Short mmCIF file of all heavy atoms in Angstrom, two decimals:
data_model
loop_
_atom_site.label_atom_id
_atom_site.label_comp_id
_atom_site.label_asym_id
_atom_site.label_seq_id
_atom_site.Cartn_x
_atom_site.Cartn_y
_atom_site.Cartn_z
N LYS A 263 -79.75 12.89 78.08
CA LYS A 263 -80.48 13.66 77.04
C LYS A 263 -80.09 13.18 75.63
O LYS A 263 -80.94 13.15 74.72
CB LYS A 263 -80.15 15.14 77.20
CG LYS A 263 -80.58 15.73 78.50
CD LYS A 263 -80.11 17.18 78.64
CE LYS A 263 -80.46 17.77 79.99
NZ LYS A 263 -79.97 19.16 80.15
N THR A 264 -78.79 12.83 75.46
CA THR A 264 -78.32 12.52 74.11
C THR A 264 -78.13 11.02 73.86
O THR A 264 -78.07 10.58 72.73
CB THR A 264 -76.96 13.18 73.88
OG1 THR A 264 -75.95 12.61 74.76
CG2 THR A 264 -77.04 14.70 74.14
N GLY A 265 -78.01 10.26 74.95
CA GLY A 265 -77.72 8.82 74.78
C GLY A 265 -76.26 8.56 74.51
O GLY A 265 -75.89 7.38 74.29
N ARG A 266 -75.42 9.54 74.52
CA ARG A 266 -74.00 9.39 74.19
C ARG A 266 -73.13 9.84 75.36
O ARG A 266 -73.44 10.78 76.07
CB ARG A 266 -73.61 10.20 72.97
CG ARG A 266 -74.34 9.84 71.69
CD ARG A 266 -73.76 10.58 70.51
NE ARG A 266 -73.66 12.01 70.74
CZ ARG A 266 -74.64 12.89 70.51
NH1 ARG A 266 -75.84 12.46 70.05
NH2 ARG A 266 -74.45 14.18 70.72
N GLY A 267 -72.01 9.15 75.49
CA GLY A 267 -70.96 9.63 76.43
C GLY A 267 -70.11 10.70 75.73
O GLY A 267 -70.40 11.12 74.66
N GLN A 268 -69.04 11.05 76.39
CA GLN A 268 -68.14 12.06 75.81
C GLN A 268 -66.78 11.98 76.50
O GLN A 268 -66.64 11.34 77.55
CB GLN A 268 -68.71 13.47 75.83
CG GLN A 268 -69.00 13.97 77.24
CD GLN A 268 -69.66 15.36 77.19
OE1 GLN A 268 -69.06 16.32 76.74
NE2 GLN A 268 -70.93 15.43 77.63
N HIS A 269 -65.80 12.68 75.90
CA HIS A 269 -64.44 12.73 76.46
C HIS A 269 -64.29 13.98 77.28
O HIS A 269 -64.54 15.09 76.78
CB HIS A 269 -63.41 12.71 75.30
CG HIS A 269 -62.03 12.54 75.80
ND1 HIS A 269 -60.93 12.90 75.05
CD2 HIS A 269 -61.50 12.05 76.94
CE1 HIS A 269 -59.82 12.69 75.71
NE2 HIS A 269 -60.14 12.13 76.89
N ILE A 270 -63.84 13.82 78.50
CA ILE A 270 -63.56 14.94 79.40
C ILE A 270 -62.07 15.13 79.47
O ILE A 270 -61.33 14.20 79.80
CB ILE A 270 -64.15 14.68 80.80
CG1 ILE A 270 -65.68 14.68 80.74
CG2 ILE A 270 -63.66 15.70 81.80
CD1 ILE A 270 -66.36 14.15 81.96
N ASP A 271 -61.59 16.35 79.16
CA ASP A 271 -60.18 16.68 79.16
C ASP A 271 -59.93 17.62 80.31
O ASP A 271 -60.14 18.82 80.25
CB ASP A 271 -59.86 17.36 77.82
CG ASP A 271 -58.40 17.83 77.69
OD1 ASP A 271 -57.64 17.56 78.62
OD2 ASP A 271 -58.08 18.44 76.67
N ALA A 272 -59.43 17.05 81.44
CA ALA A 272 -59.13 17.84 82.64
C ALA A 272 -57.62 17.92 82.85
O ALA A 272 -56.92 16.95 82.60
CB ALA A 272 -59.80 17.23 83.87
N SER A 273 -57.14 19.04 83.31
CA SER A 273 -55.71 19.18 83.51
C SER A 273 -55.40 19.96 84.79
O SER A 273 -56.20 20.82 85.21
CB SER A 273 -55.03 19.87 82.33
OG SER A 273 -55.40 21.26 82.28
N LEU A 274 -54.24 19.65 85.38
CA LEU A 274 -53.80 20.40 86.55
C LEU A 274 -53.58 21.87 86.21
O LEU A 274 -53.90 22.76 86.99
CB LEU A 274 -52.50 19.78 87.08
CG LEU A 274 -52.47 18.34 87.48
CD1 LEU A 274 -51.12 17.98 88.08
CD2 LEU A 274 -53.60 18.01 88.44
N LEU A 275 -53.01 22.15 85.02
CA LEU A 275 -52.71 23.54 84.63
C LEU A 275 -53.95 24.37 84.57
O LEU A 275 -54.02 25.49 85.12
CB LEU A 275 -51.98 23.52 83.29
CG LEU A 275 -51.54 24.92 82.80
CD1 LEU A 275 -50.36 25.42 83.62
CD2 LEU A 275 -51.20 24.89 81.30
N GLN A 276 -55.00 23.93 83.87
CA GLN A 276 -56.18 24.72 83.74
C GLN A 276 -56.96 24.82 85.05
O GLN A 276 -57.55 25.83 85.34
CB GLN A 276 -57.10 24.19 82.64
CG GLN A 276 -56.61 24.54 81.25
CD GLN A 276 -57.47 23.99 80.12
OE1 GLN A 276 -57.15 22.97 79.56
NE2 GLN A 276 -58.56 24.67 79.86
N THR A 277 -56.89 23.73 85.83
CA THR A 277 -57.51 23.83 87.15
C THR A 277 -56.85 24.90 87.98
O THR A 277 -57.52 25.74 88.60
CB THR A 277 -57.43 22.47 87.87
OG1 THR A 277 -58.24 21.53 87.19
CG2 THR A 277 -57.87 22.59 89.32
N GLN A 278 -55.52 24.88 88.01
CA GLN A 278 -54.80 25.85 88.86
C GLN A 278 -55.04 27.29 88.40
O GLN A 278 -55.24 28.19 89.25
CB GLN A 278 -53.31 25.53 88.86
CG GLN A 278 -52.52 26.47 89.76
CD GLN A 278 -53.08 26.60 91.13
OE1 GLN A 278 -53.16 25.64 91.86
NE2 GLN A 278 -53.54 27.80 91.44
N THR A 279 -55.04 27.53 87.09
CA THR A 279 -55.30 28.90 86.64
C THR A 279 -56.69 29.32 86.96
O THR A 279 -56.94 30.49 87.30
CB THR A 279 -55.00 29.05 85.12
OG1 THR A 279 -55.74 28.05 84.41
CG2 THR A 279 -53.55 28.89 84.79
N SER A 280 -57.66 28.37 86.91
CA SER A 280 -59.05 28.76 87.16
C SER A 280 -59.25 29.09 88.60
O SER A 280 -60.07 29.96 88.91
CB SER A 280 -59.98 27.62 86.76
OG SER A 280 -59.90 26.53 87.66
N ILE A 281 -58.55 28.44 89.53
CA ILE A 281 -58.77 28.75 90.95
C ILE A 281 -57.93 29.94 91.44
O ILE A 281 -57.95 30.26 92.63
CB ILE A 281 -58.53 27.50 91.83
CG1 ILE A 281 -57.09 27.03 91.80
CG2 ILE A 281 -59.49 26.42 91.45
CD1 ILE A 281 -56.79 25.89 92.77
N LEU A 282 -57.23 30.60 90.53
CA LEU A 282 -56.61 31.89 90.88
C LEU A 282 -57.70 32.94 91.10
O LEU A 282 -57.45 33.98 91.72
CB LEU A 282 -55.62 32.34 89.84
CG LEU A 282 -54.33 31.54 89.73
CD1 LEU A 282 -53.52 31.97 88.53
CD2 LEU A 282 -53.51 31.63 91.00
N ALA A 283 -58.89 32.70 90.54
CA ALA A 283 -60.10 33.48 90.83
C ALA A 283 -59.85 35.00 90.73
O ALA A 283 -59.47 35.53 89.68
CB ALA A 283 -60.64 33.08 92.19
#
Side-chain angles (χ1 to χ4, degrees):
K263 300 174 183 178
T264 67
R266 300 188 308 273
Q268 59 185 295
H269 188 202
I270 292 168
D271 178 4
S273 71
L274 302 185
L275 182 73
Q276 283 180 261
T277 293
Q278 181 50 63
T279 53
S280 73
I281 64 174
L282 290 174

